[in-house]
Amino acid sequence: MTWNNWIRQAHRWLSIIFTITVIANFAAMAMGEPPAWLVYAPLPPLFLMLFSGLYMFALPYVAGRRGGRRTVGQE
């Protein structure tokens, strides 16, 4: 598995973990005051998704500057 594929796969799994922690948060809030650890549980996967998402966002632009694909009109 290449580095890019590994980051994409990690981003997918982090999004699943983030979604589960958010659902658990809402369920706990429906029952009363949730514990602090549950309130802050979505933050670590969210920050990791921020970095992996920014990496995947910038990847096409960086690859274009390295001499990757050329767009129409470039000589």
Side-chain angles (χ1 to χ4, degrees), residues 8-75:
R8 288 181 188 279
Q9 191 67 30
H11 189 82
R12 288 182 192 123
W13 280 105
L14 285 169
S15 68
I16 292 170
I17 294 168
F18 174 74
T19 303
I20 290 170
T21 56
V22 169
I23 292 170
N25 238 325
F26 279 108
M29 286 182 195
M31 294 181 209
E33 185 68 27
W37 65 268
L38 187 59
V39 172
Y40 296 115
L43 292 180
L46 182 64
F47 285 125
L48 292 172
M49 283 174 39
L50 170 72
F51 296 124
S52 61
L54 287 173
Y55 172 80
M56 289 189 298
F57 177 77
L59 197 60
Y61 299 106
V62 173
R65 288 189 177 180
R66 288 188 199 163
R69 288 184 264 159
R70 292 180 179 232
T71 59
V72 176
Q74 286 184 338
E75 304 289 322

